Amino acid sequence: MRRVLLLALIALAAAPAALPARAAQVTQLIAEKAAADTGGAMPPAGRYDVTLTPGDVAEATLVSAFVIDRSTGQFAANVVTGAGETWRVTGLATLTVPVPVPVRRILPDELLTKADFTMVALPYRQLGSFAVTSLDRLQGMQVRRVLAAGRPVMVQSVTPPIVIGKGDKVSLEYRKGNMQLSAPGRAITSAEADQEVRVINLVSNRTVTGIARAAGIVEVSK
């Protein structure tokens, strides 16, 4: 008998104490449930913005049942309040992601800086696969097509900056071991940094191919 009592006391001490459930906003609970159901398909920095049908209960302790139409974001759920009551709630859960959008109209050939953009939460399903969602991917890029204020930037609308333009005067840098020579040239193609560019050597009048290293500098290996 004494041993049974001792075991019961040990089991009671090891059992976790029951904690009262804390109420939370239903919109928060639904957002967490929708994100959990999305799982690995959840985009980085994505979140659900939830709007409840007017008149639905605002606070609850848990979601006991949940179903959502992924194509529209419409959902229905059962939530349990702190008093133990189960309420049916409905509404709209929209998956959004923060997207950089221009703060002004930006013309072709301009170089982009972070100051040109602001971050706006937009519905993920409306963006398409070509929208740029990272501000870091736009920093220092050159505009190819006009960027409209307040609209997402498409990947095909920007390009790494051109450091050598067609017709530019350049310095051809020849390196071989410790020897370095230079000669004037004129570019007959354009190139981004570290891309191949064709240049006329103005001394020999021959066309050579080199690597655009910086504005006005072309490295030639032969």
Side-chain angles (χ1 to χ4, degrees):
M1 179 70 179
R2 185 174 179 182
R3 186 183 177 202
V4 172
L5 180 59
L6 179 60
L7 291 175
L9 288 172
I10 293 173
L12 182 61
L19 297 176
R22 297 182 62 183
Q25 293 294 317
V26 170
T27 52
Q28 177 187 341
L29 295 174
I30 295 297
E32 292 171 354
K33 184 66 175 176
D37 283 5
T38 303
M42 191 77 172
R47 74 179 189 191
Y48 276 93
D49 290 338
V50 177
T51 303
L52 295 177
T53 300
D56 283 347
V57 64
E59 290 190 344
T61 57
L62 61 89
V63 178
S64 61
F66 178 78
V67 63
I68 186 171
D69 183 341
R70 296 292 176 191
S71 64
T72 64
Q74 292 180 321
F75 70 87
N78 289 342
V79 298
V80 180
T81 68
E85 300 174 328
T86 299
W87 286 70
R88 183 74 162 177
V89 298
T90 58
L92 188 66
T94 304
L95 177 57
T96 65
V97 292
V99 177
V101 298
V103 296
R104 61 182 177 87
R105 188 169 182 262
I106 306 178
L107 301 178
D109 296 330
E110 288 194 55
L111 295 179
L112 299 174
T113 69
K114 290 185 177 181
D116 292 320
F117 297 91
T118 186
M119 301 299 292
V120 177
L122 296 176
Y124 182 66
R125 62 189 180 89
Q126 295 179 8
L127 290 178
S129 58
F130 294 106
V132 180
T133 57
S134 170
L135 182 56
D136 289 337
R137 289 184 59 189
L138 295 172
Q139 170 77 13
M141 296 291 273
Q142 190 169 22
V143 178
R144 294 180 61 190
R145 302 172 185 172
V146 174
L147 305 182
R151 300 187 63 180
V153 177
M154 301 294 107
V155 293
Q156 59 269 33
S157 297
V158 294
T159 183
I162 300 296
V163 296
I164 302 291
K166 182 178 179 180
D168 285 354
K169 289 184 178 181
V170 300
S171 176
L172 295 169
E173 305 291 338
Y174 297 85
R175 291 184 176 87
K176 186 174 183 180
N178 294 327
M179 184 177 66
Q180 179 174 332
L181 301 174
S182 63
R186 186 178 298 277
I188 56 178
T189 59
S190 298
E192 303 164 9
D194 300 325
Q195 277 192 335
E196 285 191 348
V197 59
R198 296 179 64 209
V199 179
I200 295 176
N201 184 325
L202 298 179
V203 175
S204 65
N205 204 34
R206 294 179 60 183
T207 299
V208 298
T209 299
I211 303 297
R213 293 305 186 192
I217 305 296
V218 175
E219 184 179 301
V220 181
S221 59
K222 295 183 181 179

